[in-house]
Amino acid sequence: RTNRVMEDTMAVVDGRLIDRLGRRRGLEVELDVSVHEGGLRMVSGRCRLRVAGIRMPLPRLFTVTLDERIDTARPDRQRVDVRVRTPGIGEVFSYRGSFVYHVDGAAD
């Protein structure tokens, strides 16, 4: 078993949920959010690379779908199912697992 840390910051900007990923928050992904089978579904939209204060659009080479729900056996954990698909090829990556999260330095 390997423990990994994923750093990100989510915010609503102009009515859209934006996730900024990585230690430097260099990858910016717009997310469409819905309820799916009693859990949360997030589907990636536009992506941008943030370098030196400049936001550069990235071509849409993939779509990420993330389904998340509370683990009924362990309510302190979240279960996640992630799928990455590319046009013309289909699913190129998938991950199923669980995690515990906490919020650090939450902004207003």
Side-chain angles (χ1 to χ4, degrees):
R1 181 176 196 185
T2 302
N3 289 327
R4 296 185 182 123
V5 174
M6 181 186 129
E7 295 184 36
D8 72 325
T9 301
M10 289 186 165
V12 175
V13 178
D14 297 328
R16 304 283 303 169
L17 181 61
I18 306 295
D19 194 6
R20 294 183 177 115
L21 302 156
R23 277 193 347 250
R24 293 186 179 93
R25 310 304 192 257
L27 179 61
E28 181 179 284
V29 181
E30 286 186 16
L31 297 168
D32 292 316
V33 181
S34 62
V35 174
H36 178 74
E37 297 179 1
L40 180 69
R41 173 168 278 181
M42 292 186 271
V43 179
S44 65
R46 285 183 261 178
C47 296
R48 294 177 187 83
L49 190 61
R50 292 167 32 115
V51 178
I54 299 170
R55 298 168 66 222
M56 296 177 286
L58 296 173
R60 186 131 184 197
L61 301 175
F62 59 88
T63 299
V64 177
T65 301
L66 179 143
D67 289 318
E68 180 182 329
R69 60 188 33 85
I70 294 172
D71 186 332
T72 55
R74 293 199 47 205
D76 63 320
R77 299 186 74 77
Q78 301 288 315
R79 304 274 326 147
V80 67
D81 183 339
V82 179
R83 310 278 172 169
V84 179
R85 294 178 178 85
T86 63
I89 295 174
E91 189 172 287
V92 295
F93 175 81
S94 67
Y95 168 79
R96 285 185 183 171
S98 64
F99 65 93
V100 175
Y101 73 91
H102 65 274
V103 177
D104 284 337
D108 292 321

